[in-house]
Amino acid sequence: MGKFVYDSSVKVEFEDRLLAHLQAVIMVKVRRGETFTFTWKDDISTGGGRTCVYIHSGVSLVFKFHGGRMPQLNPAWLHALTFNANSSRGLYIVAEPEGTFRPPEPAKEMVFMEVPRYAPPGP
């Protein structure tokens, strides 16, 4: 289980795979200067209920992962989370869509081609 830390005072645990998807969505919006809310249900062991934080570029965010490897991101899940984050309700967690994840194809090798020389116009 990884941890999401908001402004060094709010700390919540999320499974690493979910946390990686949340990080991707949150950081894109923060880089763009977009503000939004992020809401989650609190675990019953911490009293239950829900927590809502206001995400903006001036707040400290920490994404602490338990594992050392970056999980592969599911584009369909990123799309669903981003759709929520862009709504008036703000970002909230939805289940990963089933059967839509396909591992990325291996990257093709970059091929550099010679650039044709510039020929000045003739007389």
Side-chain angles (χ1 to χ4, degrees), residues 65-118:
F65 296 89
H66 178 71
R69 293 185 185 167
M70 177 68 173
Q72 290 209 345
L73 299 179
N74 178 340
W77 202 7
L78 289 172
H79 177 75
L81 292 167
T82 301
F83 181 83
N84 292 345
N86 291 335
S87 73
S88 60
R89 188 172 171 190
L91 177 61
Y92 57 95
I93 298 167
V94 294
E96 182 172 9
E98 291 185 30
T100 57
F101 178 68
R102 286 186 220 114
E105 294 182 21
K108 294 181 181 175
E109 185 178 332
M110 289 181 70
V111 176
F112 294 94
M113 302 182 74
E114 187 175 321
V115 177
R117 291 183 180 209
Y118 173 73

Side-chain angles (χ1 to χ4, degrees), residues 45-77:
S45 66
T46 62
R50 65 185 170 90
T51 300
C52 181
V53 295
Y54 183 66
I55 306 286
H56 58 91
S57 61
V59 70
S60 170
L61 302 173
V62 177
F63 300 87
K64 173 69 175 139
F65 296 89
H66 178 71
R69 293 185 185 167
M70 177 68 173
Q72 290 209 345
L73 299 179
N74 178 340
W77 202 7

Side-chain angles (χ1 to χ4, degrees), residues 4-25:
F4 171 72
V5 182
Y6 176 86
D7 202 26
S8 73
S9 60
V10 176
K11 299 173 183 165
V12 63
E13 289 188 346
F14 293 110
E15 188 272 324
D16 274 5
R17 183 165 170 73
L18 169 59
L19 188 60
H21 284 77
L22 292 171
Q23 178 187 16
V25 171

